[in-house]
Amino acid sequence: MNAHWLALAAAIGTSLFGQVLLKAGATGEGGFLTQLFRLQTMVGLGLYAGAALLYIVALRRIPMSVALPCTAFSYVVAVVIGHFAFGESLGAAKVAAVALISLGVVLLAASA
């Protein structure tokens, strides 16, 4: 695996961790400004910025038509984290959607 694919994987992971922190920041008491200035929210936003920088590195060599759909892998992990960490529902439709997304990501990555 070359550096550009590693950058893409790091961008996906960093973005996903940022998303989890944004969700954690959104679950407490208070209004929007309180949520915005929670440590979890601020770190989550910082991780999003870092993910964007890593994504830019990845795009130097990976076609956007491959790189962007590969980020959908984070949707798969987000469904699992949402279910186990935040008690979100996980029905048959979500499981089927995750399977289709996973298949699409694998096919696109293999076509690169």
Side-chain angles (χ1 to χ4, degrees), residues 15 67 79:
S15 174
V79 168

Side-chain angles (χ1 to χ4, degrees), residues 26-69:
T27 59
E29 298 290 322
F32 175 73
L33 288 178
T34 301
Q35 174 188 342
L36 182 62
F37 290 106
R38 279 197 186 101
L39 181 60
Q40 298 100 322
T41 304
M42 293 173 64
V43 172
L45 290 171
L47 288 173
Y48 262 22
L53 295 174
L54 289 165
Y55 188 66
I56 290 168
V57 170
L59 287 175
R60 295 185 72 201
R61 296 285 184 269
I62 301 171
M64 188 177 73
S65 62
V66 174
L68 184 59

